Amino acid sequence: MKPFSSYQNPALAADLVVFGYYDNTLSVLLLNSKAEPFKDCWTLPGAFVQMEETLQQACSRILTTKLGMDKVYLEQLYTFDDPQRDPRGRVVAVAHYALINPKKFEVVAGQMANDVRWFPVKKLPALGFDHKEMFGVALQRLRSKILYFPVGFELLDEQFTMTELHELYECILGIGIDRRNFRRKILDSEYIINTGVKREGLQNRPAELYKFNKKLKRNNFQLNIS
Amino acid sequence: MKPFSSYQNPALAADLVVFGYYDNTLSVLLLNSKAEPFKDCWTLPGAFVQMEETLQQACSRILTTKLGMDKVYLEQLYTFDDPQRDPRGRVVAVAHYALINPKKFEVVAGQMANDVRWFPVKKLPALGFDHKEMFGVALQRLRSKILYFPVGFELLDEQFTMTELHELYECILGIGIDRRNFRRKILDSEYIINTGVKREGLQNRPAELYKFNKKLKRNNFQLNIS
DNA sequence: TCAAAAGTGTTGTGATTACACCCATGG
DNA sequence: CCATGGGTGTAATCACAACACTTTTGA
């Protein structure tokens, strides 16, 4: 049995939903493609998977070369396989999502794209391919994951205030959460540590700064939303 | 940009973790492969995805031609992409799991396999490729899914007793669940309907038979385990 | 002293757990 | 009448939701 030479295989792509959080807004990175079939359309960043690389490596390659990012939180989402999803031919795409802190990277348009921009998730333009669907799956996954796993820390600075974390959760989930109940829940979970440092220099009471408790075993957290 | 002819693509496979439930045991269907590289080894059923077919269709093809099954519950799990996972060459495999009622099908070994057998999940043999890992992901997914979605009904007969459903949950989750609390929870969720019929002929009190309430909107169920 | 955001506890309610006895049937 | 599994209710506990006032700072 030698299917590797005798059969034709679909092309394999890795596509990325890159989430970033700034100005109290959750955003997604989109490319304005230079090439057909979605020229001048916004699309998710993606690339064909090479014979010798893993999906993770393909994603890293996209992040590094096209976007100037590295070492980010990355998770596989779902594989999209509609034979018609790419007008150029059969492409099976494995969707991933990444979480980054936009402050840490300067986004640069690579050779493939005219333009790379952050779009607030509530103001997305029309997307090419089946990328709207990929985005939907990614947002859903992020929303459910943040309830039982501390993914939020990937989006914030090393140190952050309780209010910043609180606003991040409200923003991602799209709901209001009682401030005191949120604080208690988070502190009880022991996912964060008080650094003892305070954020000074504002014209109101200085907020305590926290950091993520990296030593924590998982399964210790379940946020139920109000 | 014409990557479809100019680049070589990895082979794409669909692999299946087929769960069945009988004799109070959750089992998985394995093939004893006739072909290298895992001749006389147990493996999960799988096939290469053809250019014109979807992953779902590839799975159906496996289920129909190799196993004589059709129209079963099927869900995509995860895509396995380690370049070394198949000694024959680069194969990216999209793992799925299926739920079937073994009573409804007669398992037949297709031309690819010497032998097709059900193995209780607690007594699995060594598996070829990375199929142990695929199985692990599948079991984990089934366990978490059954807590908020009525997948259990795919494994039982059309009509079933509360005790049968209870035992199924205990078996899949591998824990004991209080009988009265389970009953209350399930009935409150309205996922099942009392048919009014009873299972007669046993030498004890006849049990009421229930069926799945197919009209129910989702999101109405959250089983918390004791 | 004022504005603006940070910090803090309590109480009512609803859900979950733990638990034991009676019922219906066939042999 | 007995063995077997089927069916039922309640009380204690816990977790969550709702809620308002005080503190600290800079201007």
Side-chain angles (χ1 to χ4, degrees):
Chain A
M1 183 154 114
K2 295 207 170 177
F4 308 96
S5 49
S6 39
Y7 294 100
Q8 199 185 358
N9 295 311
L12 187 66
D15 284 345
L16 272 169
V17 180
V18 182
F19 288 110
Y21 177 75
Y22 64 94
D23 287 348
N24 234 330
T25 308
L26 185 68
S27 297
V28 178
L29 208 51
L30 298 179
L31 308 187
N32 194 336
S33 179
K34 274 183 192 166
E36 294 294 352
F38 289 99
K39 189 157 148 48
D40 299 322
C41 243
W42 295 97
T43 56
L44 296 171
F48 289 99
V49 178
Q50 308 300 321
M51 280 303 281
E52 67 290 344
E53 77 184 347
T54 64
L55 290 166
Q56 285 256 350
Q57 285 162 351
C59 290
S60 293
R61 184 161 55 79
I62 299 165
L63 287 164
T64 309
T65 63
K66 288 197 187 170
L67 309 169
M69 301 165 179
D70 206 354
K71 291 177 194 162
V72 305
Y73 179 88
L74 189 65
E75 192 178 332
Q76 191 194 111
L77 274 177
Y78 197 76
T79 299
F80 291 80
D81 67 323
D82 181 345
Q84 315 304 326
R85 61 173 294 283
D86 191 320
R88 297 167 296 180
R90 183 78 198 274
V91 183
V92 171
V94 184
H96 297 72
Y97 77 100
L99 302 179
I100 74 152
N101 181 342
K103 283 186 200 162
K104 294 188 183 168
F105 303 99
E106 190 187 353
V107 168
V108 268
Q111 42 180 213
M112 298 295 288
N114 287 319
D115 198 4
V116 181
R117 270 186 54 198
W118 288 107
F119 283 86
V121 298
K122 299 198 173 178
K123 295 174 189 172
L124 286 195
L127 301 183
F129 302 101
D130 48 5
H131 288 180
K132 196 90 184 182
E133 198 187 342
M134 282 187 191
F135 162 76
V137 173
L139 184 57
Q140 208 180 324
R141 180 79 135 257
L142 176 59
R143 282 182 172 164
S144 73
K145 186 119 189 176
I146 204 174
L147 297 178
Y148 66 91
F149 201 80
V151 285
F153 306 99
E154 308 290 341
L155 296 162
L156 296 174
D157 293 344
E158 199 71 19
Q159 300 196 343
F160 49 87
T161 65
M162 188 61 85
T163 301
E164 286 166 354
L165 187 62
H166 180 214
E167 287 173 342
L168 172 65
Y169 270 77
E170 289 190 325
C171 178
I172 290 179
L173 295 171
I175 57 168
I177 305 173
D178 183 272
R179 197 159 55 92
R180 282 159 293 185
N181 293 340
F182 178 81
R183 174 181 292 263
R184 178 179 30 252
K185 194 91 192 189
I186 293 287
L187 288 174
D188 287 353
S189 78
E190 299 179 340
Y191 267 124
I192 64 177
I193 301 169
N194 192 325
T195 60
V197 185
K198 300 196 179 195
R199 174 157 295 165
E200 315 264 0
L202 300 174
Q203 47 182 117
N204 44 29
R205 180 174 179 172
E208 300 184 345
L209 284 167
Y210 296 87
K211 62 179 180 182
F212 173 41
N213 177 6
K214 291 176 183 166
K215 288 177 199 150
L216 195 67
K217 34 233 155 254
R218 285 75 211 273
N219 295 356
N220 201 19
F221 182 52
Q222 175 67 50
L223 186 69
N224 296 305
I225 52 176
S226 52
Chain B
M1 185 154 109
K2 294 207 172 177
F4 307 98
S5 47
S6 35
Y7 293 100
Q8 199 185 359
N9 296 308
L12 186 67
D15 284 345
L16 272 169
V17 181
V18 182
F19 287 111
Y21 177 75
Y22 63 96
D23 287 348
N24 235 330
T25 308
L26 185 68
S27 297
V28 178
L29 208 50
L30 299 177
L31 307 188
N32 195 336
S33 179
K34 271 183 193 169
E36 294 295 350
F38 289 99
K39 191 159 146 48
D40 299 323
C41 243
W42 295 98
T43 56
L44 295 171
F48 289 100
V49 178
Q50 307 301 320
M51 280 302 281
E52 68 289 343
E53 77 184 345
T54 64
L55 290 165
Q56 284 256 351
Q57 285 162 352
C59 290
S60 292
R61 184 162 57 79
I62 298 164
L63 287 164
T64 309
T65 63
K66 287 198 188 170
L67 309 169
M69 301 164 178
D70 205 354
K71 290 177 196 165
V72 305
Y73 180 89
L74 189 65
E75 193 178 333
Q76 191 194 110
L77 272 178
Y78 197 76
T79 298
F80 291 80
D81 67 322
D82 182 345
Q84 315 304 327
R85 61 174 294 282
D86 190 320
R88 296 167 295 180
R90 184 79 199 274
V91 182
V92 171
V94 185
H96 298 72
Y97 77 99
L99 304 178
I100 73 151
N101 180 342
K103 282 186 200 163
K104 294 189 184 170
F105 303 99
E106 190 187 354
V107 167
V108 268
Q111 42 181 213
M112 300 293 290
N114 287 318
D115 200 3
V116 182
R117 269 188 53 199
W118 289 107
F119 283 87
V121 297
K122 299 198 172 174
K123 296 175 188 170
L124 286 195
L127 301 183
F129 303 100
D130 48 4
H131 287 180
K132 196 92 183 179
E133 199 187 340
M134 282 188 192
F135 162 76
V137 173
L139 184 56
Q140 207 179 325
R141 180 80 134 256
L142 176 60
R143 281 182 173 163
S144 72
K145 186 119 188 175
I146 204 173
L147 297 178
Y148 66 90
F149 201 80
V151 284
F153 305 98
E154 309 288 342
L155 295 161
L156 295 174
D157 294 344
E158 198 72 19
Q159 301 196 343
F160 49 87
T161 66
M162 187 63 82
T163 301
E164 286 166 353
L165 187 62
H166 179 214
E167 286 173 342
L168 172 66
Y169 270 77
E170 288 190 327
C171 179
I172 290 179
L173 294 170
I175 58 169
I177 305 172
D178 182 273
R179 196 159 57 92
R180 282 159 294 185
N181 294 340
F182 177 81
R183 172 183 293 264
R184 180 179 28 252
K185 195 92 190 188
I186 293 286
L187 288 175
D188 286 354
S189 79
E190 300 181 340
Y191 266 125
I192 62 176
I193 300 168
N194 191 325
T195 61
V197 185
K198 301 196 178 194
R199 173 157 297 165
E200 315 265 0
L202 301 173
Q203 49 181 116
N204 45 27
R205 179 173 177 173
E208 299 184 347
L209 285 168
Y210 295 87
K211 61 180 180 181
F212 173 41
N213 177 5
K214 290 174 183 169
K215 288 178 200 152
L216 196 66
K217 36 233 154 250
R218 285 76 211 272
N219 296 354
N220 202 17
F221 182 52
Q222 175 68 50
L223 188 68
N224 296 304
I225 51 177
S226 54

